[in-house]
Short mmCIF file of all heavy atoms in Angstrom, two decimals:
data_model
loop_
_atom_site.label_atom_id
_atom_site.label_comp_id
_atom_site.label_asym_id
_atom_site.label_seq_id
_atom_site.Cartn_x
_atom_site.Cartn_y
_atom_site.Cartn_z
N PRO A 149 102.87 162.86 141.83
CA PRO A 149 104.23 163.18 142.26
C PRO A 149 104.34 163.82 143.63
O PRO A 149 105.33 163.60 144.33
CB PRO A 149 104.73 164.15 141.17
CG PRO A 149 103.86 163.91 140.00
CD PRO A 149 102.53 163.50 140.55
N HIS A 150 103.34 164.60 144.04
CA HIS A 150 103.44 165.27 145.34
C HIS A 150 103.13 164.32 146.50
O HIS A 150 103.45 164.64 147.65
CB HIS A 150 102.50 166.47 145.40
CG HIS A 150 101.05 166.16 145.20
ND1 HIS A 150 100.56 165.66 144.02
CD2 HIS A 150 99.98 166.26 146.04
CE1 HIS A 150 99.25 165.47 144.13
NE2 HIS A 150 98.89 165.82 145.35
N LEU A 151 102.57 163.14 146.20
CA LEU A 151 102.21 162.20 147.25
C LEU A 151 103.06 160.93 147.26
O LEU A 151 103.13 160.24 148.28
CB LEU A 151 100.74 161.79 147.12
CG LEU A 151 99.70 162.91 147.27
CD1 LEU A 151 98.30 162.35 147.09
CD2 LEU A 151 99.84 163.59 148.62
N MET A 152 103.69 160.61 146.15
CA MET A 152 104.49 159.39 146.06
C MET A 152 105.96 159.71 146.31
O MET A 152 106.55 160.51 145.58
CB MET A 152 104.33 158.75 144.68
CG MET A 152 102.92 158.22 144.44
SD MET A 152 102.53 156.77 145.45
CE MET A 152 103.40 155.50 144.56
N PRO A 153 106.58 159.11 147.32
CA PRO A 153 107.97 159.46 147.63
C PRO A 153 108.99 158.99 146.60
O PRO A 153 110.04 159.60 146.44
CB PRO A 153 108.21 158.74 148.97
CG PRO A 153 106.85 158.48 149.53
CD PRO A 153 105.96 158.27 148.35
N LEU A 154 108.68 157.91 145.88
CA LEU A 154 109.69 157.32 144.99
C LEU A 154 109.97 158.18 143.76
O LEU A 154 109.04 158.66 143.10
CB LEU A 154 109.22 155.94 144.52
CG LEU A 154 110.18 155.21 143.57
CD1 LEU A 154 111.50 154.89 144.25
CD2 LEU A 154 109.52 153.96 143.01
N VAL A 155 111.25 158.36 143.47
CA VAL A 155 111.70 158.92 142.19
C VAL A 155 112.85 158.04 141.71
O VAL A 155 113.83 157.83 142.43
CB VAL A 155 112.18 160.38 142.30
CG1 VAL A 155 112.60 160.91 140.92
CG2 VAL A 155 111.10 161.27 142.90
N GLU A 156 112.73 157.52 140.50
CA GLU A 156 113.78 156.69 139.92
C GLU A 156 114.74 157.57 139.11
O GLU A 156 114.32 158.24 138.17
CB GLU A 156 113.18 155.61 139.02
CG GLU A 156 112.33 154.62 139.79
CD GLU A 156 111.50 153.74 138.88
OE1 GLU A 156 110.51 154.23 138.33
OE2 GLU A 156 111.85 152.57 138.72
N VAL A 157 116.00 157.57 139.50
CA VAL A 157 117.03 158.33 138.79
C VAL A 157 117.77 157.34 137.90
O VAL A 157 118.48 156.45 138.40
CB VAL A 157 117.99 159.02 139.77
CG1 VAL A 157 119.05 159.82 139.01
CG2 VAL A 157 117.21 159.94 140.71
N VAL A 158 117.58 157.47 136.59
CA VAL A 158 118.10 156.49 135.63
C VAL A 158 119.33 157.06 134.94
O VAL A 158 119.29 158.14 134.34
CB VAL A 158 117.03 156.11 134.59
CG1 VAL A 158 117.56 155.00 133.68
CG2 VAL A 158 115.75 155.66 135.29
N LYS A 159 120.41 156.31 134.99
CA LYS A 159 121.68 156.71 134.42
C LYS A 159 121.77 156.24 132.97
O LYS A 159 121.66 155.05 132.69
CB LYS A 159 122.82 156.10 135.25
CG LYS A 159 124.21 156.58 134.91
CD LYS A 159 125.21 155.92 135.86
CE LYS A 159 126.60 156.50 135.66
NZ LYS A 159 127.15 156.18 134.33
N GLY A 160 121.96 157.17 132.05
CA GLY A 160 122.24 156.82 130.67
C GLY A 160 123.69 156.40 130.52
O GLY A 160 124.50 156.51 131.45
N GLU A 161 124.07 155.94 129.33
CA GLU A 161 125.43 155.45 129.10
C GLU A 161 126.47 156.53 129.37
O GLU A 161 127.59 156.23 129.79
CB GLU A 161 125.56 154.93 127.68
CG GLU A 161 124.81 153.63 127.43
CD GLU A 161 124.94 153.14 126.00
OE1 GLU A 161 125.64 153.82 125.20
OE2 GLU A 161 124.33 152.11 125.67
N LYS A 162 126.12 157.81 129.12
CA LYS A 162 127.11 158.88 129.28
C LYS A 162 126.81 159.80 130.46
O LYS A 162 127.49 160.80 130.64
CB LYS A 162 127.20 159.68 127.98
CG LYS A 162 127.70 158.85 126.80
CD LYS A 162 127.83 159.69 125.53
CE LYS A 162 128.36 158.85 124.38
NZ LYS A 162 128.49 159.64 123.14
N THR A 163 125.81 159.47 131.26
CA THR A 163 125.48 160.30 132.43
C THR A 163 126.64 160.27 133.42
O THR A 163 127.14 159.19 133.76
CB THR A 163 124.21 159.80 133.12
OG1 THR A 163 123.14 159.73 132.18
CG2 THR A 163 123.81 160.72 134.26
N SER A 164 127.05 161.43 133.91
CA SER A 164 128.16 161.47 134.85
C SER A 164 127.70 161.11 136.26
O SER A 164 126.53 161.27 136.62
CB SER A 164 128.81 162.86 134.86
OG SER A 164 127.96 163.79 135.51
N GLU A 165 128.64 160.65 137.07
CA GLU A 165 128.35 160.35 138.47
C GLU A 165 127.99 161.62 139.23
O GLU A 165 127.17 161.59 140.17
CB GLU A 165 129.54 159.65 139.13
CG GLU A 165 129.81 158.25 138.60
CD GLU A 165 128.70 157.27 138.91
OE1 GLU A 165 127.93 157.53 139.85
OE2 GLU A 165 128.59 156.25 138.20
N ASP A 166 128.59 162.75 138.86
CA ASP A 166 128.24 164.01 139.50
C ASP A 166 126.78 164.36 139.27
O ASP A 166 126.09 164.83 140.19
CB ASP A 166 129.13 165.15 138.98
CG ASP A 166 130.52 165.13 139.59
OD1 ASP A 166 130.71 164.44 140.61
OD2 ASP A 166 131.41 165.80 139.05
N THR A 167 126.30 164.15 138.05
CA THR A 167 124.90 164.44 137.75
C THR A 167 123.98 163.61 138.64
O THR A 167 123.00 164.12 139.21
CB THR A 167 124.59 164.16 136.26
OG1 THR A 167 125.32 165.09 135.46
CG2 THR A 167 123.11 164.29 135.95
N ILE A 168 124.28 162.32 138.77
CA ILE A 168 123.47 161.45 139.63
C ILE A 168 123.51 161.94 141.07
O ILE A 168 122.48 162.03 141.75
CB ILE A 168 123.98 160.00 139.54
CG1 ILE A 168 123.83 159.45 138.12
CG2 ILE A 168 123.23 159.12 140.54
CD1 ILE A 168 122.41 159.37 137.61
N ALA A 169 124.69 162.29 141.55
CA ALA A 169 124.84 162.73 142.95
C ALA A 169 124.05 164.01 143.21
O ALA A 169 123.39 164.14 144.25
CB ALA A 169 126.32 162.94 143.27
N TRP A 170 124.11 164.96 142.29
CA TRP A 170 123.37 166.22 142.47
C TRP A 170 121.87 165.97 142.51
O TRP A 170 121.15 166.54 143.34
CB TRP A 170 123.70 167.20 141.34
CG TRP A 170 125.10 167.73 141.38
CD1 TRP A 170 125.83 168.06 142.49
CD2 TRP A 170 125.94 167.99 140.26
NE1 TRP A 170 127.07 168.51 142.13
CE2 TRP A 170 127.17 168.48 140.77
CE3 TRP A 170 125.79 167.87 138.88
CZ2 TRP A 170 128.24 168.84 139.95
CZ3 TRP A 170 126.85 168.22 138.05
CH2 TRP A 170 128.06 168.69 138.59
#
Side-chain angles (χ1 to χ4, degrees):
H150 60 295
L151 297 179
M152 293 291 283
L154 180 64
V155 182
E156 295 168 286
V157 180
V158 184
K159 189 177 186 295
E161 289 179 2
K162 297 182 179 180
T163 305
S164 73
E165 292 295 338
D166 282 345
T167 294
I168 297 298
W170 291 323

